[in-house]
Amino acid sequence: MLRYILKRFTIMAVTLFIIVTLTFILMHSIPGSPFNQERGTNEAVQANLEEFYNLDEPLYVQYFIYLKAVATFDFGPSIKQPTATVNDLLGRGFPVSLELGLVSIIIAVISGILLGIIAALRHNGIIDYIAMTIAVLGISIPNFILATQLIQTFAVNLKILPAATWSSPMHMILPTIALATGPMAIIARLTRSTMLEVLTQDYIKMARAKGLSPAKIVFKHALRNALMPVVTILGTLLAGILTGTFVLEQIFAIPGMGKYFVESINTRDYPVIMGTTVFYSAFLIFMLFLVDIVYGLLDPRIKLHQKEVK
């Protein structure tokens, strides 16, 4: 196990290094400077600003400075918000984005699994058709379009829910629904198909023959195996949810990392772009690692073998 963990951490480090390098290349492939948009800034002031942020150095020097910032997790001050460091912005915005993402993934997993189970148990019935129709709609409609429709319906027309900001549990309802609907639909369809397959297995037939209750058969015997494909895609869904918050945070005016990241791209705030990209990449890579560990815990048939070389 220790050898496996060390191997995975090595792969994670290499992956993060590639992401860091590609981010630097793409960021500097755009012509111009972050200070070109500043009107009324004379050449001397612009030169001083570029020197302060090391933008006057050759690209290879900037690259090594960038790697040092990544290694020490100290990205310095923001270019467009010089009174705040990138670490301050991460500490201010990430908890909000994480709260939105975690609430959404919890709702998506629970509702998706329940919907898939109900559809499988009522296979080819009206409930199955309704559940799969909801799933298809959830997959088909992009979350930003769903978000605007939710705002129009519940905030503008019905006036029963707030449309923006993040100051109370009521403000969480619309963005959470918009973000969780897509993953919920994917989980529901996957749970339904795997549950239908598991329910035809011999050990399920044996459990029925022993007179076990349907609830015990489903939740104690069938669900664990049916959840394996769901756990497999959970890392990808989690990545999609956490990055999907960027767009929805703009729509709902949520003060999360999406706000700072989008603004930093528009203004070419290099430290914020680098800091956000590295932080989210490291977080998502680590979450994928945890998903692999959970996958092994759920399925006792998965073992780590080491061949002895003589």
Side-chain angles (χ1 to χ4, degrees), residues 97-109:
S97 298
L98 181 63
E99 183 180 12
L100 173 58
L102 288 180
V103 172
S104 299
I105 193 66
I106 291 172
I107 292 175
V109 170

Side-chain angles (χ1 to χ4, degrees), residues 166-179:
W166 190 258
S167 56
S168 72
M170 294 295 291
H171 291 83
M172 298 173 60
I173 295 177
L174 293 184
T176 299
I177 292 175
L179 192 57

